[in-house]
Amino acid sequence: MGPPGAGKGTQGELLARRLGIPRYSTGDILRQALRERTPMGLAAKRFMRAGELVPDDVMLGIIGEVLASEESANGFLLDGFPRTVAQAEGLRRTLEEMGLGLDAVVNLTVPDDVIMHRLSTRGRKDDLAKTIRRRLEVYRAQTKPVLDWYADAGVRILAIEGVGDIEEIQQQILGCLAL
Ligand code: AMP
């Protein structure tokens, strides 16, 4: 977890490779659906362009599908999901049905000014200044409470500072996970 621009994708990719497990990025899945012009992709487009969240039922449908796949049987890393308490609750139900649980939540923390700089220079279509600001607002209002929800649920949260050398940040995540 972490605000947009925290480096979830970068760190998530490295971590999944090191652990030898699949990484499921809901943002990537949605962008792929949009490129392929599937009904889901087309329906998600206006939310993504506006910096809003795609509705929970759509997201829970996506996650249900990826978790049911064979490649996730030995573990998986979720990137950009859950982003609302309702998604976290839905995920818990799905995992319970599968007899699984979460080992840890990795929370990447990055100061706002660093985020604004990173996002305004990366040039994705949902990275226009207005959209960036909205994405940050949405993060604070809807996604940050998910961290408290996990803390209450007793799930281990690793707080990692997401500023600095990419490989050093990765080593911190690996080190904390091993503790
Ligand atoms: P990301 O690449 O993770 O920043 O996601 C890009 C956009 O996809 C977000 O701004 C949302 O519009 C949408 N999205 C990705 N993951 C989720 C999620 N878990 N819940 C709702 N919307 C999502």
Side-chain angles (χ1 to χ4, degrees), residues 7-19 21-24 77-79 108 170 173:
K8 296 188 294 292
T10 306
Q11 294 299 330
E13 259 176 47
L14 287 172
L15 187 58
R17 208 180 306 146
R18 297 272 160 90
L19 299 176
I21 55 175
R23 159 182 168 264
Y24 300 116
L77 186 148
L78 301 178
D79 173 349
L108 288 173
Q170 178 69 198
I173 297 174

Side-chain angles (χ1 to χ4, degrees), residues 97-116:
E97 283 164 17
M98 300 170 77
L100 298 173
L102 294 178
D103 294 309
V105 172
V106 179
N107 183 38
L108 288 173
T109 59
V110 179
D112 275 3
D113 55 327
V114 177
I115 286 172
M116 285 308 285

